[in-house]
């Protein structure tokens, strides 16, 4: 599997990233098999989100076994620091790990949503704390809409994010 440097993070990540959203609706056996196939193919970057149903729980047994071999990322849609912190700890528990490589503020798609993240008591406080405490190595932000580039430009003006991900909806 070809690998490339992931921006300034520097991780040599597989060009294919395992997005685990679909694991939220499958059995543990199916999840284990899917993850094993991905790992056997050379994928070394696993990504999920608390909003992906049971995906983190399905990933946990595999992550526990191979944690030192993969780049592990998850995302939070919480906008208040207290809620994001609680969600982070739940994700760590479900993923059977004590740290993440990348934690991202998920689905920030317009400026009012960004303002919630940066309000007093907003999610950014939990993300900074997690990085300061060494629970996460890197913090990022994601968005899904055509407005995301403008929103993310403002986000990086407000905070020195390590990663910015625009998820593009695909119409078939």
């Amino acid at each position: 599997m070809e690998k490339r440097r992931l921006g300034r993070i520097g991780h040599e990540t597989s060009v294919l990233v395992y997005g685990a959203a679909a694991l939220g609706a499958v059995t543990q056996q199916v999840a284990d098999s899917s993850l094993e196939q991905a790992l056997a193919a050379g994928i070394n970057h696993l990504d999920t989100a608390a909003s992906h149903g049971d995906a983190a729980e399905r990933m946990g047994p595999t992550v526990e076994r191979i944690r030192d071999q993969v780049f592990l990322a998850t995302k939070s849609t919480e906008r208040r620091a207290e809620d994001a912190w609680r969600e982070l700890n739940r994700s760590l528990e479900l993923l059977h790990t004590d740290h993440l490589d990348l934690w991202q503020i998920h689905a920030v798609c317009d400026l009012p949503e960004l303002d919630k993240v940066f309000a007093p008591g907003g999610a950014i406080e939990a993300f900074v704390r997690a990085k300061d405490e060494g629970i996460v190595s890197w913090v990022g932000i994601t968005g899904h809409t055509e407005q995301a580039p403008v929103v993310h430009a403002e986000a990086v003006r407000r905070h020195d994010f390590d990663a910015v991900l625009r998820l593009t909806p695909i119409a078939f």
Side-chain angles (χ1 to χ4, degrees), residues 46-156:
L46 308 180
D47 178 81
T48 191
S51 60
H52 291 168
D54 292 334
E57 183 176 4
R58 295 288 177 265
M59 291 174 71
T62 298
V63 169
E64 183 175 31
R65 189 171 45 75
I66 51 91
R67 178 62 186 99
D68 62 337
Q69 300 168 37
V70 295
F71 185 90
L72 183 61
T74 192
K75 302 177 286 292
S76 174
T77 55
E78 296 296 341
R79 299 303 184 240
R80 293 183 35 221
E82 179 180 311
D83 297 332
W85 190 258
R86 186 174 23 260
E87 189 174 77
L88 169 63
N89 283 288
R90 180 73 175 138
S91 292
L92 292 169
E93 178 184 327
L94 292 172
L95 290 165
H96 299 209
T97 188
D98 62 355
H99 70 285
L100 297 171
D101 297 300
L102 176 62
W103 189 31
Q104 299 170 98
I105 305 169
H106 193 35
V108 182
C109 298
D110 57 41
L111 291 172
E113 199 71 8
L114 183 66
D115 289 340
K116 290 178 189 176
V117 168
F118 282 92
I124 192 66
E125 294 175 9
F127 281 74
V128 169
R129 175 183 171 194
K131 188 171 179 180
D132 287 348
E133 292 185 13
I135 298 168
V136 302
S137 299
W138 311 99
V139 297
I141 190 165
T142 78
H144 298 83
T145 64
E146 65 282 346
Q147 296 175 16
V150 171
V151 175
H152 293 160
E154 176 60 19
V156 297

